[in-house]
Amino acid sequence: MILPGFPDATPLAGLAGGVLIGLAAALMLLGSGRIAGVSGITARAVGLSDEGISRAGAWAFVVGLPLGAIIVAALSGGIDASFADPVTLAVAGLLVGIGTRLGSGCTSGHGVCGVRRFSRRSLVATVTFMVTGIATVAIMNALGVRVL
């Protein structure tokens, strides 16, 4: 399927990925009674938080994220991806980490799980994520800044 203006878009793959993310979040909520927020689970894994699932469970979740991507890449014949330089990635990761602590969660916790539960805080956080991301891209495009 080719979308007008988006020749490289893969909407069916995106739909399948979204369904799998939603299913995983629902299974975690039903199985452990906890929200599948990656920042909170990562904080638990590295010892920054004492709340949530066991540390072993948190580590299994954190290790499973890149492991799942590696398995998909191996089964599909590879993924064509490009990334910014390591310094840019480190600074971006630090800013995201600070933001998740200030916002009491990340896009997975607020956007995937909180919005589904009609949490007012999650709705505000998700709108803030979206507006900030759109504004950042618009500013970078206006200034001619290219990261990749």
Side-chain angles (χ1 to χ4, degrees):
M1 169 188 288
I2 296 178
L3 299 175
F6 299 96
D8 297 326
T10 55
L12 296 179
L15 176 63
V19 167
L20 289 173
I21 290 170
L23 180 62
L27 287 174
M28 182 152 183
L29 184 60
L30 292 171
S32 70
R34 303 295 304 177
I35 297 296
V38 176
S39 64
I41 294 172
T42 302
R44 176 68 175 131
V46 299
L48 294 176
S49 173
D50 292 330
E51 298 177 7
I53 64 175
S54 69
R55 282 191 78 186
W59 273 113
F61 188 93
V62 169
V63 169
L65 291 173
L67 187 60
I70 290 167
I71 291 169
V72 167
L75 294 176
S76 67
I79 298 172
D80 183 30
S82 59
F83 299 96
D85 64 275
V87 173
T88 301
L89 289 176
V91 170
L94 181 64
L95 291 172
V96 168
I98 292 169
T100 60
R101 297 306 277 181
L102 290 173
S104 299
C106 60
T107 53
S108 58
H110 285 302
V112 175
C113 300
V115 169
R116 175 179 68 197
R117 296 180 306 118
F118 300 110
S119 164
R120 185 177 311 156
R121 182 173 76 168
S122 292
L123 291 167
V124 169
T126 303
V127 169
T128 302
F129 298 150
M130 298 297 292
V131 168
T132 303
I134 292 166
T136 300
V137 170
I139 291 167
M140 290 178 67
N141 285 341
L143 295 174
V145 177
R146 298 205 41 94
V147 177
L148 297 178

